[in-house]
Amino acid sequence: EIRAFRYAPATLTVRLGDTVVWTNLDLVPHTTTARGSWDSGSIAANGSCRLAPGRAGPFAYDCTFHPGMKGTLVVR
């Protein structure tokens, strides 16, 4: 979830092959952007995006529009 200008949970651990879905519950657009790995583009209010990570590792990501929003996706 994206809510109150935060990713919840801030750190998420998934298995390789899983699909991660972020749903934006805020009234403004956000992104999930891990430089060099993925960029969701703008996720509108009440919108969502999906990601199926192609490799293992820890990935720090943030919102391009709101750089103080930070999250970590751990793919095992």
Side-chain angles (χ1 to χ4, degrees):
E1 271 184 11
I2 302 170
R3 179 190 301 257
F5 288 79
R6 293 185 182 172
Y7 300 108
T11 300
L12 178 65
T13 301
V14 299
R15 294 179 305 215
L16 192 60
D18 286 348
T19 298
V20 180
V21 178
W22 286 272
T23 301
N24 181 4
L25 301 176
D26 280 339
L27 298 176
V28 299
H30 294 294
T31 72
T32 63
T33 305
R35 278 135 190 92
S37 297
W38 78 81
D39 182 356
S40 66
S42 182
I43 307 167
N46 296 311
S48 63
C49 76
R50 301 168 76 80
L51 173 72
R55 62 186 167 97
F59 300 93
Y61 64 92
D62 61 26
C63 175
T64 302
F65 305 136
H66 311 100
M69 292 175 58
K70 302 202 180 288
T72 302
L73 179 64
V74 179
V75 182
R76 295 193 173 157

